Amino acid sequence: MEIVNFFEKLAGRWFSQRTTHALSTQQSKAGKSDLEVDFLAADAAEVQQLYQTHAEAVTDSATPLAAPLCGLRVHQSSTIEGDSQPKTSTTLLVLLKPQPGLKDSASDDSQGGTVLRSGAESQSTYKLEDEVLTIISDSSEARSEERLWFINDNLRMRTGMTELANGMRIASFCSEIRLGVKPPQPS
């Protein structure tokens, strides 16, 4: 599967159930989210704007940013066990075309490159291998690795591992169901 096709498949309305587990304290929390995911073409205004912002930040770099491949706008409304108010956020993700030979670029049998994220100064890397998307993010506060794959077109799984600067490690698992799916038509 091509990375753009994988991202197109992510679009839609999703219900997500999440469990997080702090490995050092052995505490777990459950949560749920409603996600609205929009696929954006490379030439969409939002994609180009985020790309330009990051491109300007790396003008002194010996390696310029690759061109945008596509984007996702993710609106999330989440409730976590113990919190009375839901939290809402909107994030824009922009995938850049793979650049062979760069550090952290994908091997020949996978597709990978850079992910830009709104509200984040740093860049992440992505890799699509065996129809599993892996996104790795590094910052001074934390390092995270998230993996996402489809069981079928309407059910996907996500796992994550985050290590905070203070050494705390948090694992997470999500199962996500696509909402508003039309039933099959009788033949």
Side-chain angles (χ1 to χ4, degrees), residues 47-64:
V47 170
Q48 289 297 315
Q49 183 178 5
L50 183 61
Y51 174 75
Q52 290 302 323
T53 301
H54 280 265
E56 290 169 7
V58 297
T59 53
D60 296 334
S61 172
T63 309

Side-chain angles (χ1 to χ4, degrees), residues 35-140:
L35 305 169
E36 183 75 38
V37 181
D38 298 310
F39 177 83
L40 303 169
D43 60 355
E46 290 173 82
V47 170
Q48 289 297 315
Q49 183 178 5
L50 183 61
Y51 174 75
Q52 290 302 323
T53 301
H54 280 265
E56 290 169 7
V58 297
T59 53
D60 296 334
S61 172
T63 309
L65 288 180
L69 197 57
C70 63
L72 289 178
R73 181 184 327 106
V74 181
H75 179 74
Q76 179 173 338
S77 177
S78 301
T79 306
I80 298 172
E81 187 177 59
D83 290 346
S84 58
Q85 295 294 320
K87 293 184 169 93
T88 60
S89 65
T90 301
T91 303
L92 178 63
L93 302 172
V94 173
L95 265 68
L96 303 183
K97 291 181 180 177
Q99 286 184 292
L102 286 182
K103 180 181 181 242
D104 294 330
S105 69
S107 63
D108 291 339
D109 60 345
S110 63
Q111 305 172 53
T114 301
V115 179
L116 307 178
R117 185 184 309 257
S118 60
E121 297 294 321
S122 61
Q123 301 169 13
S124 302
T125 59
Y126 72 87
K127 179 171 57 171
L128 181 64
E129 196 169 37
D130 298 326
E131 296 192 26
V132 176
L133 176 67
T134 303
I135 297 177
I136 298 174
S137 303
D138 278 307
S139 72
S140 57

Side-chain angles (χ1 to χ4, degrees), residues 120-176:
E121 297 294 321
S122 61
Q123 301 169 13
S124 302
T125 59
Y126 72 87
K127 179 171 57 171
L128 181 64
E129 196 169 37
D130 298 326
E131 296 192 26
V132 176
L133 176 67
T134 303
I135 297 177
I136 298 174
S137 303
D138 278 307
S139 72
S140 57
E141 294 88 31
R143 180 181 197 283
S144 67
E145 181 173 328
E146 184 172 50
R147 295 172 52 89
L148 187 143
W149 66 96
F150 286 88
I151 301 299
N152 62 46
D153 288 345
N154 300 315
L155 177 62
R156 66 186 187 199
M157 302 293 161
R158 275 194 300 148
T159 61
M161 178 62 77
T162 301
E163 185 166 354
L164 303 176
N166 65 7
M168 181 178 219
R169 293 177 35 190
I170 302 168
S172 63
F173 173 77
C174 298
S175 62
E176 299 175 331

